[in-house]
Amino acid sequence: MEAVNIKRGKYLPEDAPRNYPWGQANTSSPIPDPFTLQSHITKDESQGFKQRRWLHPKILDKTAFTECIKTLSNDKSPGPDSIVNELLRMLPHEILETIHKLFIIMWATCITPASWKTSVTILIDKNKGAETDISSYRPIGLANTLYKLWTRLVTNTLYEYAEAHSLLSTTEAGFRNQKDTIHQLQNVIMSLEDAKLSKNDIYALVVDFTSAFNTTDHDRMLWIMYNLGFPTDAIDTVKNLYEDATTQIRLPSGGSTQKIPVERGTIQGNTLSPFLSLLYMEPLLRWLHVGGRGYRHMCTPDQNATDTHLTNILSSATFANDLLCPTSTIQDLKIQARKLTLNSDWAALVISSSKTKSHWYPTQPPPQGRKWFDVLSNP
């Protein structure tokens, strides 16, 4: 997919000035609830403390490499190298040790072999449209086995770093250990029950992003990683994974297309893609939380205390590319929707209009002579 913006590969603030929509000052159209994208790591850096250590020692860990070998799935279709995961696990210890040393060199140099970065994409018919319509197919990427092992090691390293430093919002439950849709359903149900018991209205904006994995802007993904506090050796490794990456679409006739550059979107066929998608969504989740416009649970005490202003608020319930934004008033719902629009325009995220809905769960009857949809459109 062609890049939305010119791909430069620069992410340091002095080389790539940020144009974040949540931090821009615009007098003609003020930005709602502006904030600074940062973490305790970058905040300490601004105060003179250097805590952004490289993640190279994690790559040296033999146990971490062994765990990646063990987690390779069985019965998976091979990539262009025609090597299955089972064969990789049957290799003798000496060869696996050599592969680990190769990975250490690749991380230290931030270079992934170019031949590893070519994948095969097959199209699975979803039986939801015409056979001649490309949207009727789901693309599945088949990557080289060593490439998948390498990106799994990179993913585990970045994931442990993100969780250890609390870089991901607690409202995000997609692709995270010990979190799933059950947790999000519990959050939503508790908010609905709280609204019912306290006799307060609750509004909800349900959003679905179309092909979220395929629309990621590579440069802006690197910006977000840097501002969240990821070490530069990790950022450069991810950056090189997307440099000169290509894929070939396998045709029903048995042949394949020419190599297609991957200029936008996360690479299919590896475990790193879901994690990078979480990072790409992180600024939006933080922006939705700023301003306290989510649903405020009335069952908790000290609602007016300044130190708990945002503690008891559910600003979003997110699972990968599915997002729910609950609020207590329709005015806050409109502001949250504007944040969503501004962020989507900046990040080149496409919102599915057919799957995105707004809901209202009133606890009181509508005003006399009016219907609820009239109140929603003209409160």
Side-chain angles (χ1 to χ4, degrees), residues 72-353:
L72 290 175
S73 303
N74 296 326
D75 301 324
K76 293 294 184 179
S77 299
D81 56 4
S82 301
I83 299 176
V84 295
N85 294 341
E86 291 84 348
L87 179 60
L88 199 62
R89 284 203 301 270
M90 292 187 294
L91 293 175
H93 174 73
E94 292 78 10
I95 297 182
L96 291 178
E97 193 173 62
T98 301
I99 294 176
H100 184 207
K101 291 180 180 179
L102 174 62
F103 286 177
I104 294 174
I105 296 174
M106 290 166 57
W107 183 278
T109 59
C110 302
I111 295 178
T112 300
S115 59
W116 291 15
K117 295 188 286 187
T118 296
S119 63
V120 173
T121 299
I122 60 175
L123 302 178
I124 306 298
D125 192 355
K126 297 187 292 186
N127 296 319
K128 292 184 178 180
E131 295 182 356
T132 55
D133 187 357
I134 191 64
S135 61
S136 302
Y137 298 86
R138 175 178 287 108
I140 302 296
L142 302 179
N144 292 313
T145 301
L146 280 178
Y147 177 86
K148 290 188 291 185
L149 179 62
W150 164 235
T151 55
R152 187 178 293 269
L153 181 60
V154 174
T155 303
N156 292 350
T157 303
L158 298 183
Y159 177 83
E160 290 184 12
Y161 182 86
E163 294 292 356
H165 293 86
S166 302
L167 301 184
L168 296 176
S169 298
T170 57
T171 57
E172 174 63 79
F175 310 115
R176 301 179 69 179
N177 291 337
Q178 300 179 349
K179 286 193 175 185
D180 51 31
T181 52
I182 299 299
H183 293 86
Q184 297 297 41
L185 289 175
Q186 289 176 335
N187 290 332
V188 175
I189 291 173
M190 285 189 292
S191 297
L192 293 174
E193 291 179 343
D194 179 88
K196 182 178 180 180
L197 292 173
S198 58
K199 296 183 180 180
N200 287 323
D201 294 346
I202 179 171
Y203 302 80
L205 181 65
V206 183
V207 183
D208 179 84
F209 294 98
T210 302
S211 302
F213 285 11
N214 299 330
T215 56
T216 302
D217 184 285
H218 296 167
D219 280 355
R220 296 181 179 187
M221 177 180 64
L222 300 179
W223 297 1
I224 293 172
M225 291 183 66
Y226 183 84
N227 287 117
L228 288 179
F230 280 91
T232 54
D233 62 336
I235 301 176
D236 286 332
T237 299
V238 173
K239 170 186 170 182
N240 185 261
L241 283 170
Y242 284 87
E243 289 180 347
D244 301 322
T246 59
T247 188
Q248 291 179 287
I249 299 178
R250 184 176 297 173
L251 303 175
S253 59
S256 299
T257 64
Q258 295 181 349
K259 293 183 179 180
I260 303 173
V262 180
E263 296 293 337
R264 181 159 59 108
T266 53
I267 297 175
Q268 286 277 342
N270 66 69
T271 56
L272 183 60
S273 296
F275 177 76
L276 293 179
S277 297
L278 297 187
L279 295 181
Y280 203 60
M281 290 286 294
E282 179 62 22
L284 173 61
L285 302 186
R286 296 192 180 196
W287 197 8
L288 292 174
H289 194 61
V290 173
R293 302 186 186 280
Y295 178 76
R296 182 184 300 275
H297 289 81
M298 302 304 295
C299 62
T300 54
D302 300 327
Q303 290 292 321
N304 296 323
T306 56
D307 57 340
T308 61
H309 176 60
L310 295 176
T311 303
N312 305 316
I313 291 179
L314 179 63
S315 56
S316 64
T318 315
F319 193 88
N321 62 334
D322 295 313
L323 171 66
L324 182 140
C325 302
T327 65
S328 299
T329 66
I330 193 171
Q331 289 77 15
D332 286 337
L333 186 70
K334 291 180 178 179
I335 293 177
Q336 298 291 68
R338 183 159 185 263
K339 293 179 184 179
L340 177 66
T341 301
L342 293 172
N343 182 84
S344 299
D345 292 342
W346 175 83
L349 292 172
V350 181
I351 299 177
S352 174
S353 58

Side-chain angles (χ1 to χ4, degrees), residues 56-76:
H56 191 257
K58 181 64 178 177
I59 304 298
L60 298 174
D61 189 354
K62 293 183 179 180
T63 303
F65 175 77
T66 303
E67 287 299 319
C68 292
I69 293 287
K70 292 181 179 179
T71 55
L72 290 175
S73 303
N74 296 326
D75 301 324
K76 293 294 184 179

